[in-house]
Amino acid sequence: MSCTTQTEKNDENTKVALPNADKAEVEIQVLTPTEFPHEIMSNGRIQASQSANLSFSSSEIIAEVLVHNGQWVRKGQPLARLEQFRLKNRLQQAENSMKQAHLEWQNILYGQGYTPDQLDSVPTAISEIAAIRSGYAQSKAQYELAQYEFEHATITAPFDGVVANLYDKAHNQPTSSAPFCRIIDTRNMEVEFSVLENELLTLAVGSSVSVRPYAGSNQTYTGSISEINPTVDARGMVKVKARITDGSKLYEGMNVRIHVRYAIPEQHVVPKTAVVLRNGRQVVFTEREGYAHWNYVQTIHENSDSYTVDGLKEGDRVIISGNINMAHETPVTIVK
């Protein structure tokens, strides 16, 4: 007792309730070791596991737009077409130039002593030199480019999905600074989020997650972790991706809350309402023989509604309500 400071003695004096104080009505919970659903909480953004930005390969006038934003399209379905007159004309000119250059290539080989039936057996080096001198190599490349542009005058869907970011109109040139549209496969949505590096060891591919949008929705979606980036950034964060089971109603870019839960066995679990602050320290009151008793504790793990604590023992009758303004040895009445 001689080692006790004056401050600690004063603190103890403030804990004692008056004998004639009214009894406080409280609820209790008997402490037993149980499995604790630890929870990692994070914020993330929805994205499609498969998406593509589509653009025209040339800047001709758009002849027609066949779809609109939000429309579901099938793989190979036409989305828009360009005017093809100029493209077809360039293709024809390139083909004529290539044929003319091919004749010049043959003449060069004939001049070196090769007969028409020997052209297939001309050494590669000699054939390539002749193709460059005749202009055949360049004409062939120009023809292939013109053919590619003509064949891609119609944009088609590369896979099943929803049309997004389509702003160009028919009878106008495509916007050069942006893709014509975006295709999003909403059947396979995923969420990307970050966790602290000290939480990384509790995660594994296949761990279940729950996802809830911020945008005024009470619906919760489930999923599982599909990818963990094996690097830690300068802020001590690790990027994680989770695939959502049924995210067809979610939009790419949505902000969401993510909860990752895993079980920790044999823990002393109390509701968050049981823990109060006294003198800057965490305190849990327990009930014994009609009185509240003050216990310093240390919280270890936390989820949205509970703590695991150190400083209590099995069988303690933990007060979980009516403890906000409670003092040590306050008389209590159990109401539930």
Side-chain angles (χ1 to χ4, degrees):
M1 292 299 292
S2 62
C3 296
T4 303
T5 64
Q6 186 64 35
T7 301
E8 290 175 338
K9 290 179 181 179
N10 292 338
D11 289 344
E12 288 297 325
N13 290 337
T14 61
K15 301 172 192 175
V16 180
L18 297 174
N20 60 352
D22 293 335
K23 289 187 177 183
E25 295 184 344
V26 299
E27 297 175 280
I28 67 165
Q29 173 183 304
V30 179
L31 193 65
T32 57
T34 185
E35 186 178 83
F36 178 70
H38 187 50
E39 191 172 56
I40 298 174
M41 292 174 284
S42 184
N43 298 317
R45 189 180 294 272
I46 296 295
Q47 61 185 24
S49 58
Q50 187 177 28
S51 62
N53 290 322
L54 306 181
S55 299
F56 288 109
S57 58
S58 63
S59 58
E60 296 299 322
I61 299 297
I62 300 173
E64 55 182 339
V65 177
L66 306 173
V67 293
H68 56 81
N69 282 323
Q71 181 176 339
W72 181 264
V73 294
R74 296 291 182 182
K75 180 179 180 180
Q77 179 177 336
L79 308 179
R81 294 188 180 94
L82 294 176
E83 294 284 356
Q84 297 185 4
F85 176 78
R86 293 179 182 273
L87 296 173
K88 190 173 182 179
N89 186 267
R90 279 202 294 267
L91 177 62
Q92 186 63 52
Q93 291 179 7
E95 184 178 7
N96 293 338
S97 297
M98 183 182 67
K99 289 178 179 179
Q100 184 177 356
H102 185 263
L103 291 175
E104 184 62 27
W105 171 74
Q106 288 178 329
N107 289 333
I108 293 175
L109 294 179
Y110 295 158
Q112 295 183 7
Y114 294 99
T115 60
D117 60 339
Q118 293 177 327
L119 295 182
D120 292 338
S121 60
V122 176
T124 303
I126 295 176
S127 178
E128 289 178 351
I129 292 172
I132 294 172
R133 286 180 178 178
S134 64
Y136 175 61
Q138 183 177 0
S139 296
K140 184 179 180 181
Q142 291 176 345
Y143 170 76
E144 291 174 350
L145 177 60
Q147 186 179 38
Y148 176 85
E149 290 180 345
F150 179 76
E151 292 175 351
H152 289 77
T154 299
I155 289 182
T156 58
F159 47 80
D160 295 354
V162 174
V163 178
N165 297 343
L166 195 164
Y167 305 113
D168 287 335
K169 305 293 185 180
H171 313 300
N172 294 276
Q173 284 188 325
T175 304
S176 58
S177 60
F180 173 75
C181 71
R182 182 175 177 84
I183 302 297
I184 303 170
D185 184 0
T186 56
R187 298 169 302 177
N188 298 295
M189 303 299 283
E190 59 186 17
V191 59
E192 184 178 67
F193 58 98
S194 298
V195 298
L196 293 170
E197 60 178 306
N198 59 0
E199 298 171 331
L200 184 59
L201 296 179
T202 62
L203 300 180
V205 173
S207 298
S208 61
V209 302
S210 61
V211 178
R212 186 172 181 177
Y214 277 96
S217 173
N218 293 324
Q219 185 171 359
T220 300
Y221 300 84
T222 59
S224 60
I225 293 176
S226 58
E227 178 183 317
I228 300 175
N229 188 17
T231 60
V232 180
D233 64 20
R235 300 175 300 155
M237 307 296 288
V238 179
K239 290 287 187 182
V240 180
K241 286 185 180 181
R243 185 160 295 164
I244 301 171
T245 304
D246 182 15
S248 59
K249 295 181 180 180
L250 297 173
Y251 290 86
E252 189 173 49
M254 264 185 148
N255 295 303
V256 293
R257 298 185 186 91
I258 297 97
H259 295 247
V260 184
R261 291 198 172 201
Y262 62 94
I264 304 177
E266 299 296 314
Q267 298 292 311
H268 287 160
V269 182
V270 298
K272 286 187 172 180
T273 55
V275 181
V276 294
L277 288 177
R278 294 291 186 272
N279 301 324
R281 297 179 63 180
Q282 293 175 316
V283 170
V284 170
F285 288 96
T286 55
E287 184 272 336
R288 292 199 303 269
E289 298 179 353
Y291 290 90
H293 292 266
W294 170 305
N295 304 272
Y296 285 120
V297 298
Q298 182 178 356
T299 58
I300 304 172
H301 301 294
E302 175 185 4
N303 61 24
S304 57
D305 54 18
S306 304
Y307 293 115
T308 65
V309 296
D310 186 20
L312 301 175
K313 62 182 183 298
E314 183 178 354
D316 281 346
R317 295 161 61 85
V318 177
I319 295 174
I320 62 174
S321 70
N323 55 351
I324 299 299
N325 298 312
M326 186 171 287
H328 183 60
E329 293 187 351
T330 297
V332 296
T333 299
I334 299 171
V335 297
K336 188 177 181 181

